[in-house]
Structure formats: C-alpha cells, structure tokens
Amino acid sequence: MTGMEITVFYPVKKRSIADFAQVFPDGELSKQPTEVGMVVSAVETTLPMQNFSPDMIEERHQHAKEFIERAQPFCDAVKAEGVWADFVDPINGTPFYSSSSTTLSETDGSLSQFGFQILELGCCRALKHKTFMTRVLACVLCFRGDRAVVDKHLHMLEKSQEAGGDKPEQAAATQQDTPAEVPPEAPTPAEP
C-alpha cells in the first residue's frame, strides 16, 4: 500500500507565480498574486522513479491516472464556488484545462520550492521527497481565489478505499501558509 502527502502552499511567493504563470495562462496568476496557491500531492510509489523499467512506467501511469480522476472533480467543485483551478498532467507535463505550450517536467527545478530535491544522476534527473525518497510521483494543482473553498474540497484529492487506494487516515494533508525555503541537500546515492 502506498502513502500520500497533500500540502497547500498559500499564498505562494512571487517567484512561484512567475514560474507557473506561463504553464497556466488561463489563471491570470499575476492579476491577483496574493490569492494564488498551489496544492502539491506527493504520491508514494512502490518502485523508485529513477530506475527506468516497464514496471516503473506502468506504476507511474496508474498513479497519474488516479490523480487525474480525483483532480477533475476537485477543480469542478472549487470552480463552482468561484475559484479558478487547473492541474498539471503528471505524465506529459501539460496543464489539464489551460491552453499553453509551456510544460512542467516532473523534475523541473521549480518543484524544489515545494519541498522536493532534484537529483542529478548523470544520465537523468529524479525527484526526492523527504519521506518517500525517490519512490514518489509529484502532482501539482494551481488555484486562484478563496483558500477556504480549496480547504473545503481538499478531501477530494485523497485516495479512497473504493478506488483501491489508501484509507483516508493514511493520506496526510498538511497546510502551509507560505512555502518553506528548502535548503539544498547533498546528493545521495540512488536507491536500489
């Protein structure tokens, strides 16, 4: 069974807004920068994501599909209450609703603002999470508007028992008023 950690960064720093404004042009993020937030879901995987294999790709696609199936109704719910929201497809890096030619790769340096370390492994890059290490898939959702509306619907992003996921109490949702500056760590050897 895999774990999940959901963190809300609100309001995000101006540097984050600049990083994501091109990915989500429909959100007009620079219009009201104090109302921009990010929801970052770290999904634990059973396989390390830096070890390329057919099994790793299959697991990655399955977790991405599950995230998309939860993010769509979440966005619909908050939009119905006046909050703009969109998310990045974890597989191809494109915004789901916005029309943009800019993508967000899974190892984009901007993710370091949200608690991930980007590992340079010579032949490739990998994400490292403080708990899940390289056994992680990062899912990013952006919103502009009332944080209380987002908090009200945040449970929709958690894995459900019906979908074969974790029990709700196994998904950790944390709140953060401003993103912590994560100091760079020394690279660690790749997991076996």
Side-chain angles (χ1 to χ4, degrees):
M1 199 174 299
T2 58
M4 169 184 260
E5 178 183 275
I6 298 172
T7 307
V8 175
F9 296 90
Y10 185 87
V12 297
K13 296 183 183 235
K14 288 182 182 181
R15 147 179 119 169
S16 298
I17 293 170
D19 287 344
F20 291 96
Q22 291 182 355
V23 177
F24 300 111
D26 296 355
E28 300 178 338
L29 302 183
S30 58
K31 199 175 206 180
Q32 296 173 315
T34 58
E35 294 186 2
V36 175
M38 302 296 287
V39 179
V40 179
S41 175
V43 180
E44 183 182 21
T45 61
T46 56
L47 297 170
M49 292 290 106
Q50 86 273 17
N51 296 341
F52 188 81
S53 72
D55 289 341
M56 182 275 288
I57 295 295
E58 182 179 332
E59 180 181 15
R60 188 175 133 72
H61 281 257
Q62 182 59 39
H63 286 301
K65 178 182 174 218
E66 291 168 2
F67 169 74
I68 291 169
E69 289 171 353
R70 292 187 304 270
Q72 285 179 291
F74 172 85
C75 287
D76 291 343
V78 299
K79 285 177 182 178
E81 294 189 44
V83 173
W84 174 89
D86 197 353
F87 61 94
V88 173
D89 181 325
I91 297 300
N92 61 28
T94 60
F96 198 80
Y97 295 109
S98 298
S99 297
S100 174
S101 60
T102 304
T103 61
L104 180 73
S105 84
E106 64 183 315
T107 55
D108 190 281
S110 61
L111 292 177
S112 64
Q113 300 170 61
F114 304 113
F116 294 95
Q117 182 182 357
I118 311 300
L119 301 177
E120 295 288 345
L121 302 173
C123 64
C124 61
R125 300 170 84 188
L127 282 182
K128 181 180 176 186
H129 182 266
K130 64 183 183 274
T131 305
F132 306 142
M133 307 308 280
T134 61
R135 289 176 159 85
V136 67
L137 177 68
C139 303
V140 178
L141 189 144
C142 183
F143 67 92
R144 183 176 47 79
D146 187 354
R147 159 83 185 260
V149 172
V150 170
D151 289 344
K152 175 179 162 185
H153 297 287
L154 202 57
H155 69 278
M156 297 174 75
L157 294 174
E158 296 175 356
K159 290 184 177 184
S160 68
Q161 286 181 296
E162 296 80 37
D166 296 337
K167 295 177 184 172
E169 62 269 18
Q170 290 174 312
T174 59
Q175 309 295 315
Q176 196 161 324
D177 290 330
T178 56
E181 293 297 323
V182 179
E185 297 177 23
T188 57
E191 293 181 26

